[in-house]
Amino acid sequence: MKNIFIGVLLLIQISVMAQKSQGLVLTPPMGWNSWNKFGCEISEKLIKETADAFVNQGLKEAGYEYIVIDDCWQMSRDKDGKIVADPERFPSGIKALADYIHSKGLKFGIYSCAGRLTCQNRPGSHGYEVLDANTYAGWGVDYLKYDWCNTEGIDPETAYTSMSAALASSGRPIVFSMCEWGFSRPWNWAQNVGHLWRTTVDIQDCWDCRNDWWGVGWVGIMDMQEGLEKYAGPGHWNDPDMLEVGNGKMKYHEYISHFSFWCLLAAPLMAGNDIRTMSDSTKTILLNHDAIAINQDKAGLQGKKVYDDGDFEIYCKPLQNEDLAVIFFNRNNQHFDFPALWEKAGIKGNMKVFDIWKHERIGTTKGIKTVSLDGHSVLFYRLSRKGKV
Ligand code: GLA
């Protein structure tokens, strides 16, 4: 009876969120963004080839949908103030590119900034919100990432609300991805303004480095998500930034750890590598359907840390049907055996354990007494009480 009641409450909550979010991104958005790998080295050729690769490499089938061009596609404004794309890099224009992406059954995203200039000093949208939103809608844009450089003291909630209203009145459903880096704690105000909000500064392709212009490795970014889980849900997500999987500076098992956590955190899964040339090992990670199913679970709950013993930690994400996703995490770079500590993680009774990286059932919580973890590694499990896992 209690379970039926919780189920009904969940359905009501999801349908309320669906109305607020126009039914968009009821599970975390999945796609690709040009920034992490290509920076300003973008072109219509790259974006079209990436769309082709989405289909040929199996990303589309795995659920990746949005192809987003980040900064540097814009060049200037014309005499009427309309934004103009770089004619050398995008000779066919943005509308033709959007049409191409749509012809592949994919969705198309673009980038702008709440400031007068973007982070790479291209024209921003400040003062042009309505014109830009209408231009994007006319081009067939499905997703807007909206940055926070050169904002000269303006108020974030006002600035993001103004673009949000412009998008809403454009007549086209457009996912609104707010990139304010978490400075004003957007999780407190952004739920009804946009669909996702960056919680931190920019991710770097490293374990836990910090660079001098405020870039942070994925472990540092992940640690900054603590306490934010209550703000995420269908149609409104915390965004710990795009994936670095496959960009080459971390080891295979470190990318597995990074991807596992982005799945457990219900983070947007925006690949940030070169999809056209990715290795088989990168594909193994990005296309792991069991991991993606954890990320895309319809309950839309963000996982969190439930046990902390220094280098050894346990994280849990409640799923539909009383299933649970669990990560055992070894922050140390040495191999260790740890006690499995199911009860400390709040896991009672006996549950079946399915290993998400081995793709097989490996036993039950009662039977598994220790976990053996290589350095900088995770064990990523789906736990289930009933049925076949
Ligand atoms: C900021 C954002 C990044 C990227 C760059 C582009 O740093 O946080 O994700 O969009 O700008 O200039």
Side-chain angles (χ1 to χ4, degrees):
M1 191 59 195
K2 189 176 147 223
N3 289 341
I4 296 173
F5 181 64
I6 293 172
V8 170
L9 277 183
L10 194 64
L11 278 178
I12 294 172
Q13 190 202 0
I14 291 174
S15 78
V16 169
M17 290 309 170
Q19 281 164 20
K20 281 189 190 163
S21 70
Q22 303 173 287
L24 297 170
V25 293
L26 297 180
T27 59
M30 293 176 66
W32 175 87
N33 174 299
S34 55
W35 183 253
N36 283 358
K37 172 72 185 173
F38 295 98
C40 282
E41 291 306 311
I42 52 173
S43 64
E44 74 180 38
K45 181 170 178 288
L46 166 71
I47 306 298
K48 282 173 137 180
E49 288 174 0
T50 300
D52 296 343
F54 256 54
V55 178
N56 303 334
Q57 304 268 32
L59 269 90
K60 181 183 171 198
E61 203 186 334
Y64 293 87
E65 191 178 18
Y66 293 96
I67 296 199
V68 181
I69 323 180
D70 208 279
D71 208 347
C72 299
W73 64 269
Q74 339 71 330
M75 191 68 164
S76 54
R77 292 193 180 272
D78 70 11
K79 63 176 182 5
D80 301 319
K82 188 172 172 181
I83 192 79
V84 177
D86 181 334
E88 273 175 29
R89 290 180 177 267
F90 296 90
S92 314
I94 302 297
K95 167 99 174 57
L97 188 52
D99 289 346
Y100 185 81
I101 288 170
H102 291 148
S103 77
K104 301 266 158 183
L106 298 166
K107 292 194 169 144
F108 174 62
I110 213 164
Y111 163 101
S112 190
C113 183
R116 285 180 208 289
L117 296 172
T118 71
C119 298
Q120 303 303 315
N121 294 326
R122 307 299 174 108
S125 290
H126 185 71
Y128 293 91
E129 291 83 355
V130 172
L131 179 57
D132 284 355
N134 289 338
T135 303
Y136 304 151
W139 286 343
V141 166
D142 305 297
Y143 184 114
L144 173 66
K145 172 174 169 183
Y146 203 52
D147 216 336
W148 190 242
C149 281
N150 301 302
T151 40
E152 298 159 11
I154 59 179
D155 170 59
E157 186 172 351
T158 311
Y160 281 93
T161 302
S162 144
M163 183 46 102
S164 172
L167 291 173
S169 62
S170 76
R172 187 173 173 90
I174 296 178
V175 173
F176 190 33
S177 156
M178 297 173 281
C179 180
E180 181 270 358
W181 317 312
F183 288 3
S184 72
R185 305 172 67 82
W187 43 89
N188 285 322
W189 55 260
Q191 252 193 45
N192 296 324
V193 179
H195 300 94
L196 55 154
W197 50 85
R198 277 272 295 278
T199 53
T200 67
V201 294
D202 289 7
I203 196 168
Q204 303 297 297
D205 184 15
C206 60
W207 182 259
D208 58 2
C209 66
R210 281 178 193 242
N211 68 22
D212 49 11
W213 60 270
W214 54 274
V216 178
W218 80 263
V219 174
I221 299 262
M222 191 262 289
D223 287 339
M224 293 179 212
Q225 309 313 305
E226 203 166 335
L228 299 187
E229 57 279 349
K230 58 177 174 288
Y231 301 101
H236 54 99
W237 307 102
N238 290 306
D239 176 5
D241 208 353
M242 301 156 309
L243 293 160
E244 290 285 6
V245 174
N247 277 337
K249 298 206 178 118
M250 280 190 272
K251 301 207 171 90
Y252 178 58
H253 62 277
E254 295 179 327
Y255 284 131
I256 287 193
S257 301
H258 170 27
F259 191 75
S260 302
F261 269 106
W262 261 232
C263 290
L264 181 124
L265 290 170
L269 292 183
M270 300 300 283
N273 59 316
D274 189 342
I275 301 298
R276 304 165 306 170
T277 57
M278 65 182 170
S279 65
D280 285 346
S281 56
T282 297
K283 261 166 105 169
T284 306
I285 300 174
L286 291 179
L287 300 181
N288 181 334
H289 55 272
D290 291 313
I292 292 171
I294 302 292
N295 176 269
Q296 294 291 301
D297 185 84
K298 290 208 165 42
L301 296 168
Q302 177 172 326
K304 62 173 183 184
K305 183 153 65 183
V306 292
Y307 179 77
D308 188 341
D309 186 11
D311 284 341
F312 175 53
E313 295 172 341
I314 310 175
Y315 292 75
C316 266
K317 176 188 199 298
L319 306 169
Q320 281 195 313
N321 303 323
E322 292 181 81
D323 282 10
L324 272 179
V326 177
I327 288 182
F328 291 102
F329 183 39
N330 181 6
R331 283 180 188 256
N332 198 296
N333 59 12
Q334 306 294 314
H335 179 106
F336 281 110
D337 287 340
F338 298 98
L341 298 176
W342 302 108
E343 297 228 335
K344 288 241 160 66
I347 296 153
K348 305 215 170 65
N350 197 17
M351 294 185 84
K352 295 169 193 162
V353 180
F354 180 89
D355 187 314
I356 284 170
W357 290 104
K358 285 190 181 146
H359 302 284
E360 65 185 21
R361 194 170 148 203
I362 56 159
T364 61
T365 50
K366 280 233 162 100
I368 298 170
K369 309 275 186 220
T370 52
V371 288
S372 187
L373 279 164
D374 287 336
H376 281 185
S377 286
V378 296
L379 288 169
F380 191 15
Y381 295 151
R382 181 183 192 115
L383 270 44
S384 171
R385 274 185 211 289
K386 39 192 171 187
K388 191 173 159 290
V389 249

